[in-house]
């Protein structure tokens, strides 16, 4: 038996910040191509939809409650974006390396990754972090405002609402998903490095987004 204790030193946790954004193009074979660093990433708002209860009634009382399918969605905020992300916005270059772009084209799906920091009362923001892997995302047309410069200059802030379609995990007991979270405080450091080497690339390998099954195989491998 143990008595509950609140606010212990070293266990006052909080989450803050977002960094290490990476964009991965979804290729025709269903795999993800070479990742591009997403500079200027300001925010990733997570706003899942669905998962709402629907009550069924019988014999004059509540009989059972059903839940609708949940979908991962949200909004990305940034000052800029990777070149490859243009096609996800329906923007396609006319020719090759011409610098001329045509809008209102087919919007491609993509994957992306980002990191959020986990702090505590003793190590502050150096305590740990969470890696977020997002699959099969698509962005909606977004509004952009181009304003005149004035005596209080500001950089234009861009944002894209995105929705996702879940992908197969390839693992028994788990439903389709579009979002995986990896906690650096819980996972073995060697296995974490293997995942990060895939996400960010190495001297010999290009950056790519591992599938849920690849992540599962890494974290459950012996040793």
């Amino acid at each position: 038996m143990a008595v509950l204790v609140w606010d212990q030193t070293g266990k006052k946790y909080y989450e803050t910040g977002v960094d290490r954004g990476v964009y991965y193009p979804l290729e025709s074979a269903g795999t993800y191509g070479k990742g591009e660093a997403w500079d200027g990433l300001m925010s990733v708002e997570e706003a899942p939809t669905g998962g709402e209860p629907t009550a069924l009634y019988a014999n004059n009382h509540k009989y059972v409650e059903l839940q609708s399918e949940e979908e991962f969605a949200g909004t990305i905020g940034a000052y800029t974006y990777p070149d490859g992300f243009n096609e996800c916005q329906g923007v396609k270059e006319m020719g090759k390396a011409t610098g001329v772009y045509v809008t209102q084209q087919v919007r491609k799906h993509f994957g992306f990754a980002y990191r959020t920091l986990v702090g505590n009362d003793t190590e502050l923001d150096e305590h740990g972090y969470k890696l977020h892997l997002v699959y099969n995302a698509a962005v909606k047309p977004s509004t952009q405002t181009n304003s005149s410069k004035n005596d209080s200059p500001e950089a234009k802030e861009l944002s894209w609402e995105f929705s996702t379609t879940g992908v197969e995990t390839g693992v028994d007991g788990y439903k389709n998903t579009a979002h995986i979270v990896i906690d650096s405080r819980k996972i073995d450091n060697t296995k974490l490095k293997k995942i990060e080497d895939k996400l960010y690339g190495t001297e010999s390998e290009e950056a790519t987004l591992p599938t849920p099954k690849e992540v599962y195989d890494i974290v459950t491998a012996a040793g």
Side-chain angles (χ1 to χ4, degrees), residues 24 32-35 195 197-201 206-210 214:
Y24 307 93
Y32 291 92
K34 177 183 176 182
I195 294 173
D197 283 347
K198 283 186 172 292
L199 292 173
Y200 307 138
E206 299 283 10
T208 189
L209 182 62
E214 287 177 316

Side-chain angles (χ1 to χ4, degrees), residues 126-190:
E126 300 296 321
H127 178 61
Y129 55 88
K130 293 180 180 179
L131 293 175
H132 298 256
L133 315 185
V134 181
Y135 300 88
N136 207 8
V139 295
K140 304 175 184 177
S142 58
T143 301
Q144 295 187 20
T145 302
N146 300 297
S147 304
S148 172
K149 290 184 65 176
N150 52 41
D151 57 353
S152 300
E154 295 180 350
K156 182 167 70 172
E157 297 181 5
L158 307 174
S159 68
W160 303 268
E161 289 185 34
F162 69 88
S163 57
T164 61
T165 302
V167 299
E168 291 184 0
T169 60
V171 183
D172 290 340
Y174 296 91
K175 297 169 59 178
N176 290 5
T177 186
H179 183 212
I180 289 178
V181 182
I182 301 166
D183 193 329
S184 72
R185 300 169 299 166
K186 307 292 180 65
I187 187 174
D188 174 80
N189 287 336
T190 301

